[in-house]
């Protein structure tokens, strides 16, 4: 926790496997640390959570479910085989009944495909990026899984997380930029549930607007080397910087798109992913 507090993070969720880890309600920044511009940052807000491995995918692997905002432990078997024998939807239902927002962790690493994800009910989203599985074996990006679900009209949000295990360099590589009027565990949980965030591994956005016809993304310095407007099938647009990095890019719908989301690639390769601006149901 201290590593994140000392680097200006606003909130952190501890999601140990199959247990809630007790933690103080907030953690002050490390001595001498400050946010950008030298202004002391607010204390790190800790959001309760859990990662549950349960259920069985089409190829026999477990689902890894993040329950963000979970304050009271749900009833789970202690044995891994017994958890895998449980219907995954039953575990999701228990997490939701206990007040948690549920995301499916690292679908690529877990061997999940669209047929595993689409039937799930009351799941807010998936990890479009997971740092631990990316650094470990190169299976941290799940954009294709996301697009497969969106194309099939299964609306999901996309988060980026470290999943830090601290055995390899898997911390400080993926995070969520949340829009909230207040910073509390409850507001973080609510923002994740409603998709009021974008995922990032380094690229930063100033604003995203969509008037129902044209989407515009404004990119914070140093800008972007390319912007991708991701839609279903062959629709969309890829814009590369011809000269200085892009600070703005736009896309006007052609009338056949079922969804639209935006990917931004910074000059150093860091990325940002917006949530879908719309999904045709």
């Amino acid at each position: 926790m201290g590593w994140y507090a000392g680097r200006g993070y606003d909130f952190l969720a501890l999601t140990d496997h199959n247990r809630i880890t007790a933690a103080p309600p907030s953690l002050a920044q490390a001595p001498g640390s400050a946010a950008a511009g030298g202004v002391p940052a607010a204390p790190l807000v800790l959001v309760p959570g859990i990662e549950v491995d349960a259920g069985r995918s089409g190829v026999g692997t477990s689902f890894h479910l993040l329950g963000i905002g979970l304050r009271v432990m749900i009833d789970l078997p202690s044995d891994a085989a017994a958890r895998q024998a449980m219907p995954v939807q039953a575990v999701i239902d228990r997490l939701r009944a206990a007040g948690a927002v549920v995301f499916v962790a690292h679908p690529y690493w877990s061997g999940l495909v669209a047929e595993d994800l689409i039937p799930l009910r009351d799941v807010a989203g998936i990890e479009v990026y997971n740092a631990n599985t990316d650094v470990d074996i190169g299976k941290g990006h799940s954009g294709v899984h996301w697009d497969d679900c969106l194309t099939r009209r299964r609306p999901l949000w996309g988060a980026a997380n470290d999943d830090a295990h601290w055995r390899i360099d898997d911390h400080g590589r993926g995070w969520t930029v949340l829009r909230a009027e207040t910073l509390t565990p409850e507001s973080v949980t609510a923002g994740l549930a409603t998709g009021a965030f974008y995922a990032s591994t380094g690229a930063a956005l100033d604003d995203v607007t969509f008037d129902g016809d044209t989407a515009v993304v404004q990119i914070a310095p140093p800008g972007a080397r390319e912007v991708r407007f991701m839609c279903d099938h062959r629709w969309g647009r890829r814009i590369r910087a011809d000269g200085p990095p892009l600070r703005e890019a736009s896309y006007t719908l052609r009338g056949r798109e079922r969804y639209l989301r935006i990917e931004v690639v910074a000059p150093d390769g860091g990325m940002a992913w917006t949530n879908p601006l719309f999904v045709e149901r």
Side-chain angles (χ1 to χ4, degrees):
M1 294 184 292
W3 189 93
Y4 290 97
R7 285 159 178 80
Y9 281 69
D10 295 309
F11 59 91
L12 179 71
L14 300 176
T15 55
D16 286 326
H17 281 256
N18 306 307
R19 65 170 183 162
I20 299 175
T21 300
S26 64
L27 180 68
Q29 287 217 330
S33 64
V39 178
L44 180 70
V45 171
L46 296 179
V47 182
I50 193 172
E51 180 173 349
V52 178
D53 55 274
R56 184 177 286 110
S57 72
V59 296
T61 57
S62 295
F63 292 79
H64 285 224
L65 305 172
L66 299 176
I68 309 299
L70 183 70
R71 295 184 177 275
V72 179
M73 185 61 188
I74 62 173
D75 182 26
L76 282 176
S78 59
D79 179 67
R83 289 194 303 275
Q84 192 177 41
M86 295 180 66
V88 65
Q89 188 61 53
V91 180
I92 294 169
D93 292 345
R94 292 182 189 184
L95 289 169
R96 293 289 296 121
V101 176
V102 179
F103 282 75
V104 179
H106 44 65
Y108 189 12
W109 182 91
S110 294
L112 305 181
V113 295
E115 285 71 19
D116 297 310
L117 297 168
I118 290 171
L120 303 180
R121 304 184 308 276
D122 295 323
V123 169
I126 67 171
E127 285 182 332
V128 66
Y129 178 79
N130 178 286
N132 175 266
T133 57
D134 183 30
V135 174
D136 189 21
I137 60 172
K139 287 192 172 183
H141 289 264
S142 295
V144 172
H145 300 72
W146 198 12
D147 286 327
D148 283 349
C149 292
L150 294 174
T151 294
R152 290 160 178 80
R153 305 185 186 185
R154 176 63 174 93
L156 292 169
W157 309 134
N161 296 317
D162 274 347
D163 195 5
H165 287 59
W166 298 94
R167 296 190 294 269
I168 56 178
D169 186 17
D170 58 2
H171 45 282
R173 291 176 173 270
W175 55 88
T176 294
V177 181
L178 182 73
R179 176 173 287 176
E181 293 185 1
T182 60
L183 189 58
T184 64
E186 292 76 18
S187 67
V188 171
T189 302
L192 293 174
T194 58
F197 64 90
Y198 70 87
S200 179
T201 63
L205 309 183
D206 280 336
D207 199 10
V208 179
T209 59
F210 179 58
D211 63 5
D213 184 48
T214 299
V216 180
V217 57
Q218 296 176 345
I219 304 132
R225 72 186 189 201
E226 68 176 83
V227 176
R228 306 163 186 163
F229 292 91
M230 308 294 290
C231 305
D232 51 304
H233 308 307
R234 63 186 180 89
W235 311 112
R237 186 185 184 196
R238 185 178 189 179
I239 305 171
R240 296 182 178 88
D242 183 14
L246 299 166
R247 293 296 307 279
E248 182 177 294
S250 65
Y251 175 74
T252 299
L253 299 180
R254 303 177 186 180
R256 300 184 181 181
E257 299 89 341
R258 291 184 175 177
Y259 73 88
L260 169 65
R261 63 179 183 84
I262 306 171
E263 295 182 353
V264 174
V265 185
D268 65 358
M271 293 189 64
W273 297 262
T274 74
N275 279 316
L277 302 182
F278 78 97
V279 177
E280 181 183 279
R281 297 176 185 271

